[in-house]
Protein backbone atom coordinates (compact mmCIF):
# COMPACT_ATOMS: atom_id res chain seq x y z
CA UNK A 1 0.00 0.00 0.00
CA UNK A 2 1.49 3.31 -1.07
CA UNK A 3 2.15 5.87 1.65
CA UNK A 4 0.90 9.46 1.30
CA UNK A 5 3.34 11.62 -0.61
CA UNK A 6 5.19 14.38 1.19
CA UNK A 7 4.49 13.26 4.77
CA UNK A 8 7.12 10.55 5.16
CA UNK A 9 9.86 12.84 3.87
CA UNK A 10 9.61 15.08 6.96
CA UNK A 11 8.87 12.36 9.49
CA UNK A 12 11.92 10.16 9.97
CA UNK A 13 10.84 8.35 13.12
CA UNK A 14 14.30 7.77 14.65
CA UNK A 15 14.85 11.54 14.95
CA UNK A 16 11.72 12.24 17.02
CA UNK A 17 12.87 10.51 20.17
CA UNK A 18 9.43 10.72 21.81
CA UNK A 19 6.08 9.03 21.35
CA UNK A 20 3.17 11.31 20.48
CA UNK A 21 -0.51 11.59 21.33
CA UNK A 22 -2.62 14.02 19.32
CA UNK A 23 -5.68 15.61 20.89
CA UNK A 24 -8.27 17.33 18.69
CA UNK A 25 -11.95 18.23 18.55
CA UNK A 26 -14.58 17.44 15.93
CA UNK A 27 -18.23 18.40 16.20
CA UNK A 28 -21.18 18.64 13.92
CA UNK A 29 -23.48 21.66 14.03
CA UNK A 30 -26.06 22.89 11.53
CA UNK A 31 -25.55 22.00 7.87
CA UNK A 32 -23.53 19.15 6.45
CA UNK A 33 -21.21 21.10 4.13
CA UNK A 34 -18.95 22.63 6.79
CA UNK A 35 -18.82 19.42 8.80
CA UNK A 36 -17.74 17.32 5.81
CA UNK A 37 -14.64 19.49 5.34
CA UNK A 38 -13.54 18.98 8.96
CA UNK A 39 -14.40 15.28 8.91
CA UNK A 40 -12.42 14.70 5.71
CA UNK A 41 -9.50 16.72 7.09
CA UNK A 42 -9.56 14.52 10.18
CA UNK A 43 -9.59 11.32 8.15
CA UNK A 44 -6.59 12.37 6.07
CA UNK A 45 -4.69 13.58 9.13
CA UNK A 46 -5.27 10.35 11.08
CA UNK A 47 -4.35 8.06 8.21
CA UNK A 48 -1.17 9.96 7.26
CA UNK A 49 0.18 9.91 10.80
CA UNK A 50 -0.81 6.28 11.37
CA UNK A 51 1.07 5.31 8.20
CA UNK A 52 4.20 7.36 8.91
CA UNK A 53 4.36 6.90 12.68
CA UNK A 54 2.91 3.46 13.46
CA UNK A 55 1.49 3.29 16.96
CA UNK A 56 0.74 7.01 17.24
CA UNK A 57 -2.27 7.55 19.49
CA UNK A 58 -5.15 9.99 19.20
CA UNK A 59 -7.79 11.48 21.51
CA UNK A 60 -10.90 12.76 19.73
CA UNK A 61 -13.22 15.15 21.56
CA UNK A 62 -16.55 14.95 19.71
CA UNK A 63 -20.20 15.86 20.25
CA UNK A 64 -23.23 13.60 20.28
CA UNK A 65 -24.19 14.49 16.69
CA UNK A 66 -21.27 12.59 15.13
CA UNK A 67 -22.79 9.47 13.55
CA UNK A 68 -21.68 5.94 14.41
CA UNK A 69 -20.57 5.40 10.81
CA UNK A 70 -18.26 8.43 10.98
CA UNK A 71 -16.86 7.24 14.31
CA UNK A 72 -16.14 3.86 12.76
CA UNK A 73 -14.42 5.53 9.79
CA UNK A 74 -12.27 7.68 12.11
CA UNK A 75 -11.29 4.61 14.07
CA UNK A 76 -10.21 2.85 10.87
CA UNK A 77 -8.19 5.88 9.78
CA UNK A 78 -6.38 5.86 13.15
CA UNK A 79 -5.91 2.07 12.93
CA UNK A 80 -7.82 1.67 16.20
CA UNK A 81 -5.28 3.77 18.15
CA UNK A 82 -7.89 6.36 19.07
CA UNK A 83 -10.04 7.10 22.09
CA UNK A 84 -13.28 9.07 21.75
CA UNK A 85 -14.67 11.39 24.41
CA UNK A 86 -18.25 12.26 23.46
CA UNK A 87 -19.67 15.39 25.07
CA UNK A 88 -23.31 16.25 25.63
CA UNK A 89 -23.70 20.03 25.86
CA UNK A 90 -27.48 20.42 26.10
CA UNK A 91 -29.30 23.35 24.53
CA UNK A 92 -26.78 26.08 25.35
CA UNK A 93 -26.23 28.33 22.33
CA UNK A 94 -22.70 27.86 21.02
CA UNK A 95 -22.11 24.99 23.43
CA UNK A 96 -20.07 23.12 20.85
CA UNK A 97 -17.25 25.64 21.31
CA UNK A 98 -16.86 24.31 24.84
CA UNK A 99 -15.76 21.00 23.28
CA UNK A 100 -12.96 22.92 21.59
CA UNK A 101 -11.77 23.89 25.06
CA UNK A 102 -11.98 20.33 26.38
CA UNK A 103 -9.32 19.13 23.94
CA UNK A 104 -6.74 21.04 26.04
CA UNK A 105 -7.52 18.92 29.12
CA UNK A 106 -5.71 15.95 27.56
CA UNK A 107 -2.41 17.82 27.95
CA UNK A 108 -2.34 17.35 31.72
CA UNK A 109 -4.88 14.54 32.20
CA UNK A 110 -3.16 12.01 29.93
CA UNK A 111 -1.64 9.29 32.11
CA UNK A 112 0.87 7.79 29.67
CA UNK A 113 4.52 8.71 29.02
CA UNK A 114 3.77 10.22 25.60
CA UNK A 115 4.02 13.86 24.60
CA UNK A 116 0.53 15.30 24.11
CA UNK A 117 0.01 17.63 21.16
CA UNK A 118 -3.20 19.64 20.74
CA UNK A 119 -3.85 20.47 17.09
CA UNK A 120 -6.35 22.05 14.72
CA UNK A 121 -7.50 19.25 12.48
CA UNK A 122 -8.09 21.49 9.45
CA UNK A 123 -4.42 22.49 9.24
CA UNK A 124 -2.15 20.82 6.71
CA UNK A 125 -0.36 17.93 8.38
CA UNK A 126 2.93 18.56 6.55
CA UNK A 127 3.29 22.11 7.88
CA UNK A 128 2.07 21.24 11.37
CA UNK A 129 4.42 18.28 11.78
CA UNK A 130 7.39 20.28 10.59
CA UNK A 131 6.62 22.92 13.23
CA UNK A 132 6.14 20.24 15.88
CA UNK A 133 9.53 18.78 15.12
CA UNK A 134 11.10 22.22 15.52
CA UNK A 135 9.29 22.82 18.82
CA UNK A 136 10.44 19.51 20.29
CA UNK A 137 14.01 20.36 19.32
CA UNK A 138 13.76 23.81 20.96
CA UNK A 139 12.21 22.35 24.12
CA UNK A 140 15.18 20.02 24.46
CA UNK A 141 17.60 22.92 24.05
CA UNK A 142 15.75 25.18 26.52
CA UNK A 143 15.17 22.38 29.02
CA UNK A 144 11.43 23.07 29.23
CA UNK A 145 8.49 20.70 29.31
CA UNK A 146 5.67 22.51 27.54
CA UNK A 147 5.20 24.92 24.67
CA UNK A 148 2.35 27.06 23.39
CA UNK A 149 1.98 28.75 20.04
CA UNK A 150 0.24 32.13 20.04
CA UNK A 151 -1.58 34.66 17.88
CA UNK A 152 -1.44 38.45 18.16
CA UNK A 153 -4.45 40.66 18.79
CA UNK A 154 -4.96 44.07 17.21
CA UNK A 155 -5.96 45.36 20.65
CA UNK A 156 -3.28 46.81 22.90
CA UNK A 157 -4.54 45.26 26.13
CA UNK A 158 -6.68 42.23 26.94
CA UNK A 159 -9.94 43.23 28.62
CA UNK A 160 -10.13 39.75 30.18
CA UNK A 161 -6.61 40.13 31.63
CA UNK A 162 -5.70 36.68 30.36
CA UNK A 163 -2.99 37.51 27.81
CA UNK A 164 0.23 35.52 27.66
CA UNK A 165 3.36 36.97 29.32
CA UNK A 166 5.00 38.29 26.15
CA UNK A 167 6.57 41.71 26.70
CA UNK A 168 8.45 42.07 23.40
CA UNK A 169 5.32 42.97 21.42
CA UNK A 170 4.26 46.62 20.93
CA UNK A 171 0.64 47.84 20.74
CA UNK A 172 -0.68 44.30 20.98
CA UNK A 173 -1.17 41.32 23.26
CA UNK A 174 -1.12 37.58 22.60
CA UNK A 175 -3.24 34.52 23.28
CA UNK A 176 -2.65 30.79 22.93
CA UNK A 177 -3.34 29.36 19.50
CA UNK A 178 -5.04 25.99 19.78
CA UNK A 179 -3.50 24.98 16.46
CA UNK A 180 -0.41 23.55 18.18
CA UNK A 181 0.29 23.08 21.88
CA UNK A 182 2.87 20.64 23.29
CA UNK A 183 2.84 19.11 26.77
CA UNK A 184 5.58 16.69 27.87
CA UNK A 185 5.35 14.11 30.66
CA UNK A 186 7.94 16.06 32.67
CA UNK A 187 5.61 19.04 33.12
CA UNK A 188 2.70 16.74 34.00
CA UNK A 189 4.82 15.28 36.79
CA UNK A 190 6.23 18.59 38.09
CA UNK A 191 2.99 20.62 37.77
CA UNK A 192 0.12 18.13 38.05
CA UNK A 193 -3.46 19.22 37.40
CA UNK A 194 -6.19 17.01 38.82
CA UNK A 195 -8.61 15.43 36.32
CA UNK A 196 -11.84 17.38 35.95
CA UNK A 197 -10.50 20.66 37.35
CA UNK A 198 -10.31 22.36 33.95
CA UNK A 199 -13.77 21.12 32.98
CA UNK A 200 -15.23 22.43 36.23
CA UNK A 201 -13.55 25.80 35.66
CA UNK A 202 -14.94 26.10 32.12
CA UNK A 203 -18.43 25.10 33.26
CA UNK A 204 -18.39 27.70 36.02
CA UNK A 205 -17.42 30.49 33.60
CA UNK A 206 -19.77 29.45 30.79
CA UNK A 207 -22.76 29.05 33.08
CA UNK A 208 -22.69 32.79 33.64
CA UNK A 209 -23.03 33.79 29.98
CA UNK A 210 -25.88 33.53 27.48
CA UNK A 211 -23.93 32.23 24.46
CA UNK A 212 -20.58 30.50 24.13
CA UNK A 213 -18.66 32.53 21.51
CA UNK A 214 -16.21 31.24 18.95
CA UNK A 215 -12.65 31.58 20.22
CA UNK A 216 -13.66 31.27 23.88
CA UNK A 217 -11.65 28.03 24.17
CA UNK A 218 -8.31 29.83 23.93
CA UNK A 219 -9.38 32.60 26.32
CA UNK A 220 -10.50 30.00 28.86
CA UNK A 221 -7.21 28.12 28.51
CA UNK A 222 -5.08 31.23 29.08
CA UNK A 223 -7.09 32.19 32.16
CA UNK A 224 -6.82 28.67 33.60
CA UNK A 225 -3.07 28.42 32.96
CA UNK A 226 -2.55 31.71 34.79
CA UNK A 227 -4.53 30.45 37.77
CA UNK A 228 -2.44 27.29 37.87
CA UNK A 229 0.84 29.16 37.39
CA UNK A 230 1.63 27.26 34.19
CA UNK A 231 2.50 30.29 32.03
CA UNK A 232 5.59 31.23 34.07
CA UNK A 233 7.97 28.68 32.54
CA UNK A 234 6.20 27.93 29.25
CA UNK A 235 8.04 28.15 25.93
CA UNK A 236 6.17 30.54 23.61
CA UNK A 237 6.47 30.93 19.86
CA UNK A 238 4.35 32.29 17.03
CA UNK A 239 1.96 29.89 15.36
CA UNK A 240 2.80 28.93 11.77
CA UNK A 241 0.30 26.89 9.81
CA UNK A 242 -1.47 26.37 6.51
CA UNK A 243 -5.17 25.51 6.26
CA UNK A 244 -6.12 22.54 4.12
CA UNK A 245 -7.75 23.39 0.79
CA UNK A 246 -11.55 23.21 1.29
CA UNK A 247 -11.95 21.96 -2.29
CA UNK A 248 -9.25 19.30 -1.98
CA UNK A 249 -10.14 15.64 -2.14
CA UNK A 250 -9.27 13.08 0.52
CA UNK A 251 -6.44 11.29 -1.27
CA UNK A 252 -6.27 8.53 1.35
CA UNK A 253 -9.99 7.64 1.35
CA UNK A 254 -9.54 4.47 -0.72
CA UNK A 255 -6.83 3.23 1.64
CA UNK A 256 -9.04 3.87 4.66
CA UNK A 257 -12.01 2.06 3.11
CA UNK A 258 -9.80 -0.91 2.19
CA UNK A 259 -8.36 -1.19 5.70
CA UNK A 260 -9.72 -4.60 6.71
CA UNK A 261 -8.63 -4.86 10.35
CA UNK A 262 -11.44 -5.34 12.90
CA UNK A 263 -12.60 -1.98 14.25
CA UNK A 264 -12.31 -1.43 18.00
CA UNK A 265 -14.06 1.67 19.33
CA UNK A 266 -13.52 3.23 22.78
CA UNK A 267 -16.05 5.91 23.71
CA UNK A 268 -16.44 7.77 26.99
CA UNK A 269 -19.56 9.90 27.44
CA UNK A 270 -19.26 13.19 29.36
CA UNK A 271 -21.99 15.68 30.27
CA UNK A 272 -20.98 19.35 30.15
CA UNK A 273 -23.08 21.42 32.54
CA UNK A 274 -23.19 24.77 30.75
CA UNK A 275 -26.43 26.07 32.29
CA UNK A 276 -29.17 28.02 30.56
CA UNK A 277 -29.51 31.50 29.16
CA UNK A 278 -27.97 34.51 30.89
CA UNK A 279 -27.97 38.24 30.01
CA UNK A 280 -24.17 38.35 30.42
CA UNK A 281 -21.74 37.77 27.55
CA UNK A 282 -18.10 36.82 27.08
CA UNK A 283 -15.68 39.01 25.16
CA UNK A 284 -13.18 37.39 22.77
CA UNK A 285 -10.25 39.54 21.64
CA UNK A 286 -9.93 40.18 17.92
CA UNK A 287 -7.02 38.68 16.01
CA UNK A 288 -4.55 40.82 14.12
CA UNK A 289 -4.53 40.03 10.43
CA UNK A 290 -1.08 39.97 8.92
CA UNK A 291 -0.36 40.60 5.25
CA UNK A 292 -0.60 36.91 4.32
CA UNK A 293 -3.90 36.59 6.15
CA UNK A 294 -5.36 39.59 4.37
CA UNK A 295 -4.12 38.37 0.99
CA UNK A 296 -5.65 34.91 1.59
CA UNK A 297 -8.92 36.51 2.64
CA UNK A 298 -9.05 38.63 -0.54
CA UNK A 299 -8.33 35.56 -2.66
CA UNK A 300 -11.15 33.64 -0.97
CA UNK A 301 -13.57 36.53 -1.54
CA UNK A 302 -12.57 36.76 -5.21
CA UNK A 303 -13.01 33.01 -5.63
CA UNK A 304 -16.45 33.23 -4.01
CA UNK A 305 -17.48 35.98 -6.44
CA UNK A 306 -16.27 33.91 -9.39
CA UNK A 307 -18.20 30.87 -8.13
CA UNK A 308 -21.36 32.94 -7.76
CA UNK A 309 -21.09 34.40 -11.26
CA UNK A 310 -20.05 31.22 -13.09
CA UNK A 311 -23.56 29.72 -13.54
CA UNK A 312 -24.79 32.89 -15.26
CA UNK A 313 -21.78 32.98 -17.57
CA UNK A 314 -22.05 29.30 -18.44
CA UNK A 315 -25.67 29.76 -19.50
CA UNK A 316 -24.63 32.13 -22.32
CA UNK A 317 -24.19 30.52 -25.74
CA UNK A 318 -20.56 31.22 -26.67
CA UNK A 319 -18.89 30.89 -30.04
CA UNK A 320 -15.49 31.90 -31.39
CA UNK A 321 -14.88 34.08 -34.46
CA UNK A 322 -12.62 32.34 -36.93
CA UNK A 323 -11.29 35.55 -38.49
CA UNK A 324 -10.75 37.77 -35.46
CA UNK A 325 -10.20 35.09 -32.80
CA UNK A 326 -12.33 36.95 -30.23
CA UNK A 327 -15.21 35.61 -28.16
CA UNK A 328 -18.70 36.65 -29.20
CA UNK A 329 -21.61 36.35 -26.79
CA UNK A 330 -25.11 35.90 -28.13
CA UNK A 331 -27.49 38.54 -26.62
CA UNK A 332 -29.76 37.27 -23.91
CA UNK A 333 -33.45 38.12 -23.62
CA UNK A 334 -34.72 40.67 -21.12
CA UNK A 335 -34.40 39.77 -17.49
CA UNK A 336 -30.76 38.75 -17.69
CA UNK A 337 -28.49 39.65 -14.79
CA UNK A 338 -26.74 43.08 -14.63
CA UNK A 339 -23.41 41.27 -14.71
CA UNK A 340 -24.13 39.83 -18.14
CA UNK A 341 -25.52 43.11 -19.49
CA UNK A 342 -22.31 44.87 -18.43
CA UNK A 343 -20.28 42.14 -20.13
CA UNK A 344 -22.14 42.69 -23.40
CA UNK A 345 -21.60 46.46 -23.25
CA UNK A 346 -17.85 45.92 -22.84
CA UNK A 347 -17.79 43.67 -25.87
Amino acid sequence: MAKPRGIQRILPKPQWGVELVFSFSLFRVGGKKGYVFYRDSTLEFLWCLSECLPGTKFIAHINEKISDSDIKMLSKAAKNNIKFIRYHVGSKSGGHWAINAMRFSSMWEHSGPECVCVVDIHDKAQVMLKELKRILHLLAIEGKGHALTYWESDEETCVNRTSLPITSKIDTHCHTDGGLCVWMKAIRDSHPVLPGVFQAYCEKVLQGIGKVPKGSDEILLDAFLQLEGLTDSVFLLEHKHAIRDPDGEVTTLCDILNYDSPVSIQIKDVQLKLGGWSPCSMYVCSERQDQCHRKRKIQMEEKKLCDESSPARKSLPVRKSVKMGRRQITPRPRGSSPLNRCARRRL
Side-chain angles (χ1 to χ4, degrees):
M1 184 180 297
K3 293 185 178 181
R5 295 182 179 179
I7 299 287
Q8 63 271 26
R9 292 200 299 270
I10 63 171
L11 279 178
K13 188 177 180 181
Q15 296 183 16
W16 283 81
V18 61
E19 295 183 350
L20 303 172
V21 174
F22 291 91
S23 175
F24 63 90
S25 63
L26 177 66
F27 44 81
R28 182 171 184 172
V29 210
K32 183 180 178 181
K33 184 177 180 181
Y35 165 70
V36 168
F37 165 69
Y38 289 102
R39 182 202 60 190
D40 292 351
S41 300
T42 306
L43 289 172
E44 188 155 346
F45 179 86
L46 294 176
W47 182 259
C48 290
L49 263 68
S50 298
E51 281 285 286
C52 301
L53 292 174
T56 298
K57 299 177 182 178
F58 306 92
I59 304 174
H61 301 261
I62 62 176
N63 68 345
E64 69 276 14
K65 295 183 179 180
I66 305 293
S67 65
D68 293 340
S69 60
D70 283 350
I71 291 176
K72 184 178 179 180
M73 184 76 74
L74 293 170
S75 185
K76 290 179 67 175
K79 299 188 175 180
N80 295 327
N81 291 317
I82 186 170
K83 178 176 69 175
F84 295 93
I85 304 178
R86 183 165 52 195
Y87 295 91
H88 303 264
V89 298
S91 58
K92 185 86 165 188
S93 178
H96 52 277
W97 294 116
I99 302 175
N100 240 18
M102 291 300 102
R103 59 182 170 150
F104 297 119
S105 61
S106 298
M107 293 193 295
W108 46 80
E109 293 184 4
H110 180 67
S111 58
E114 298 88 356
C115 169
V116 178
C117 307
V118 175
V119 295
D120 278 340
I121 211 62
H122 59 268
D123 286 348
K124 288 185 178 179
Q126 294 93 330
V127 179
M128 186 276 296
L129 290 171
K130 188 175 181 180
E131 278 299 295
L132 175 58
K133 192 174 181 179
R134 182 172 73 95
I135 291 173
L136 292 175
H137 179 71
L138 292 172
L139 284 176
I141 293 176
E142 297 290 333
K144 295 186 177 183
H146 60 316
L148 301 174
T149 59
Y150 64 82
W151 53 268
E152 295 182 23
S153 173
D154 56 9
E155 303 169 23
E156 185 174 356
T157 57
C158 176
V159 297
N160 298 305
R161 298 181 181 178
T162 61
S163 58
L164 294 172
I166 300 176
T167 57
S168 59
K169 303 293 182 179
I170 301 176
D171 298 332
T172 185
H173 69 275
C174 303
H175 285 288
T176 299
D177 195 308
L180 186 55
C181 303
V182 179
W183 215 267
M184 307 286 285
K185 184 179 184 299
I187 195 67
R188 290 199 295 272
D189 294 339
S190 60
H191 294 78
V193 179
L194 295 176
V197 173
F198 179 63
Q199 178 181 334
Y201 172 78
C202 293
E203 289 176 341
K204 182 179 179 181
V205 174
L206 298 179
Q207 284 171 3
I209 63 176
K211 180 180 179 180
V212 183
K214 180 180 180 181
S216 57
D217 56 323
E218 295 163 344
I219 304 298
L220 289 168
L221 174 67
D222 288 345
F224 180 77
L225 293 179
Q226 286 187 16
L227 290 174
E228 295 291 328
L230 288 166
T231 57
D232 300 335
S233 59
V234 67
F235 185 74
L236 298 167
L237 66 165
E238 189 174 357
H239 184 222
K240 297 180 180 180
H241 70 123
I243 297 178
R244 176 178 170 267
D245 183 8
D247 299 324
E249 297 181 355
V250 183
T251 57
T252 58
L253 186 57
C254 292
D255 294 332
I256 297 172
L257 293 173
N258 294 330
Y259 182 67
D260 55 359
S261 177
V263 177
S264 175
I265 300 176
Q266 307 175 49
I267 301 181
K268 177 184 177 182
D269 286 283
V270 175
Q271 180 70 44
L272 289 180
K273 302 175 182 177
L274 305 181
W277 185 84
S278 170
C280 300
S281 61
M282 179 178 182
Y283 182 78
V284 176
C285 302
S286 57
E287 184 175 357
R288 172 178 288 177
Q289 296 183 355
D290 56 15
Q291 185 176 358
C292 295
H293 193 146
R294 288 193 297 268
K295 184 178 179 181
R296 184 165 60 248
K297 188 175 180 181
I298 292 173
Q299 290 175 346
M300 290 178 64
E301 291 175 350
E302 290 177 347
K303 184 177 182 299
K304 185 178 179 181
L305 289 173
C306 291
D307 292 341
E308 290 175 352
S309 61
S310 59
R313 291 183 178 273
K314 288 180 180 179
S315 63
L316 296 175
V318 178
R319 64 177 182 271
K320 290 185 178 180
S321 173
V322 178
K323 294 183 180 180
M324 301 300 295
R326 61 177 291 187
R327 295 167 63 86
Q328 297 179 353
I329 301 179
T330 303
R332 289 174 57 89
R334 290 185 178 181
S336 58
S337 67
L339 176 63
N340 294 326
R341 291 198 295 271
C342 291
R344 291 200 303 275
R345 282 197 291 268
R346 287 197 300 271
L347 293 172

